[in-house]
Amino acid sequence: MLVTTKALRRRRVRLAAVASIAALGTMAALAGCSPAASDSGKVTITLSGPNQFTSDANTFGPAWEKLVADFEKDNPDITLKTNVLPLTSWAQTSAAQLTAGTAPELIFNQTTHTPEQVLSLDDALKKKNPFSDSGKSWNDDFIPQYWKDSTQLINVAGHHEAIPFNLVAVGIYFNKDILAKAKVDASDLKTFDGFLSACSAIKSAGFAPLATDNGNLPAGWTYVALGSMLLNPEAEKVNQFAADGSAGKADIVTKKSIAHAYLTGELNVTTDPGSAEVLKLMKKFYDACATPNWSGIKSQGAFTGGTDFTGGKAAMAWGTNFATTGLADASFKFGTLPFPTLSQSDSSLATGDPAKFGVTAGGTAYMIPAYIKGAKRAAAIKFLQYVSSPKIQSWLNKTGGIPAVTGLTAPPGLEAMSTGDWATVPPLGQGGLFQAPAAIAAQNKYEGYLLGTTSLKDELKKLNDDGIAWSKEQAVQGKWTEDWATAK
């Protein structure tokens, strides 16, 4: 789950700005085609991805620069360069480079790709991590509940392809000072109707209720939260394949189960009452609480809605645990909370159970293109081992990171995001039923409906068509051989 806020203290370590996607491709191509190592025995590798921690377009921040410096000190034969990609275009850039064979040694794992484009780390994971003193294999150093069967880290072919540097939790941040001016108590935000009433009071006080932008995160996270309370019957119905792809059930519904439901017609969201209800309540939530001109605000920084929250213009914003980094110099007191709970008065499909989202490995995770070979591949693997070891405790502390491996601790202050029902992954996971083919996966698929330019009927038809197209892609990538998966 990708995110990033207000700049940190002005200590900057400036990296070269990238002028265009073409320039990025050229740089990566040069890196990929250079000799395995220089005459001095040193090898240079590049990590390329979006800034999840601050709004800076040049660096992931001082904590990251310190981590890189420590890595290079501990591994004097390796130089690691960081290429920060724009938040609005990183996915398209990385996917294009990967297809062209010009992506650098380490790329953010939420890039659209196929299993064969990325190096399988299965063999490396069987060996010990040289930076760990656990005495176990690298594979066994990870916390099992976030590592085993993780759909964010294991591809449809069943191979581990990405290493998590941390875990991610998502929640709603709130400005205590603005709530006080609007005469809203944080306890009012626990229920859906109470939250919407609070949004009205916040508007009357002269502030935007929930900082929102046109990216896919605020709508996507709202969908996951609402779906966790309304789509559990659908999850039970489609859950027909175990995590290993065999017939059975999985704790979290697999992509294969969802694809099977679409391709067999067992799932048709145009006639599914839960799917329609989620969309209706999402629009109700947006109409009451989103920044009025949200469709004109580009996704940037650690919080949704650009700088409205950190700038004191909005009372609340979606953000991950990483977002706390950008509040180091905030002039206001803040807190965090989960999405509000639906009641029967909000929806006849509500059960009163609280919303869920989950702590998962969908935070900062990187993978290696399959065409990276020799000394560069070895150096890239070594960095992935370094960031999944005790070497990164200080970096986790400074960035709000939740550890993905055993023996490390999470910094305090994240309890509202990382404990209780909200910290539990819902049955449909964090992807849900509404999937989209790779070409449009990074877009906000709900924008037309939320703006009122697309009808509910047309939106559901589009979502169903997208789900079928996505399912066909998954069947090809997963090399599924069942009749339902191979039928034209």
Side-chain angles (χ1 to χ4, degrees), residues 74-141:
D74 291 343
N75 301 273
D77 58 332
I78 302 174
T79 296
L80 176 70
K81 295 183 178 180
T82 305
N83 184 19
V84 182
L85 299 181
L87 199 62
T88 55
S89 60
W90 71 268
Q92 300 93 316
T93 299
S94 293
Q97 291 178 344
L98 189 58
T99 299
T102 58
E105 291 76 19
L106 292 159
I107 58 174
F108 193 64
N109 76 312
Q110 293 178 39
T111 301
T112 300
H113 63 283
T114 58
E116 62 271 13
Q117 289 181 305
V118 178
L119 176 68
S120 168
L121 298 168
D122 292 349
D123 289 340
L125 286 162
K126 296 175 183 176
K127 303 173 183 178
K128 292 182 179 180
N129 181 344
F131 304 106
S132 169
D133 58 4
S134 69
K136 302 177 181 179
S137 68
W138 185 18
N139 182 74
D140 291 334
D141 280 344

Side-chain angles (χ1 to χ4, degrees), residues 195 198-200 202-203 207-211 288-292 313-317:
F195 199 105
C199 288
S200 178
I202 291 166
K203 285 181 181 178
F207 300 94
L210 182 74
C289 300
T291 306
K313 297 179 181 179
M316 296 175 285

Side-chain angles (χ1 to χ4, degrees), residues 397-414:
N397 293 342
K398 293 176 181 177
T399 59
I402 302 170
V405 294
T406 59
L408 301 181
T409 58
L414 304 174

Side-chain angles (χ1 to χ4, degrees), residues 42-265:
K42 293 197 67 169
V43 61
T44 297
I45 59 175
T46 299
L47 179 145
S48 181
N51 188 349
Q52 298 173 278
F53 309 97
T54 76
S55 58
D56 198 309
N58 300 301
T59 172
F60 293 166
W64 174 260
E65 301 298 340
K66 177 65 165 57
L67 175 63
V68 171
D70 289 344
F71 171 73
E72 291 179 340
K73 181 179 179 181
D74 291 343
N75 301 273
D77 58 332
I78 302 174
T79 296
L80 176 70
K81 295 183 178 180
T82 305
N83 184 19
V84 182
L85 299 181
L87 199 62
T88 55
S89 60
W90 71 268
Q92 300 93 316
T93 299
S94 293
Q97 291 178 344
L98 189 58
T99 299
T102 58
E105 291 76 19
L106 292 159
I107 58 174
F108 193 64
N109 76 312
Q110 293 178 39
T111 301
T112 300
H113 63 283
T114 58
E116 62 271 13
Q117 289 181 305
V118 178
L119 176 68
S120 168
L121 298 168
D122 292 349
D123 289 340
L125 286 162
K126 296 175 183 176
K127 303 173 183 178
K128 292 182 179 180
N129 181 344
F131 304 106
S132 169
D133 58 4
S134 69
K136 302 177 181 179
S137 68
W138 185 18
N139 182 74
D140 291 334
D141 280 344
F142 292 94
I143 302 173
Q145 71 186 92
Y146 305 113
W147 174 252
K148 184 181 179 183
D149 302 330
S150 170
T151 56
Q152 290 101 343
L153 307 172
I154 301 174
N155 58 38
V156 291
H159 302 298
H160 270 101
E161 63 178 18
I163 296 298
F165 300 7
N166 50 33
L167 302 176
V168 64
V170 170
I172 297 175
Y173 286 76
F174 61 91
N175 181 322
K176 294 182 178 181
D177 297 342
I178 292 180
L179 292 192
K181 292 177 182 178
K183 294 181 172 53
V184 170
D185 190 272
S187 62
D188 300 334
L189 304 171
K190 292 182 179 181
T191 63
F192 191 74
D193 58 346
F195 199 105
L196 269 55
S197 295
C199 288
S200 178
I202 291 166
K203 285 181 181 178
S204 297
F207 300 94
L210 182 74
T212 308
D213 54 57
N214 61 14
N216 63 350
L217 293 181
W221 290 342
T222 302
Y223 164 72
V224 172
L226 288 169
S228 74
M229 295 180 280
L230 297 174
L231 295 176
N232 293 327
E234 287 82 352
E236 179 62 27
K237 177 182 176 181
V238 305
N239 192 0
Q240 299 184 35
F241 290 94
D244 63 0
S246 63
K249 292 185 179 294
D251 292 336
I252 305 301
V253 176
T254 64
K255 291 180 179 179
K256 188 172 184 179
S257 283
I258 296 174
H260 170 266
Y262 272 115
L263 295 179
T264 60

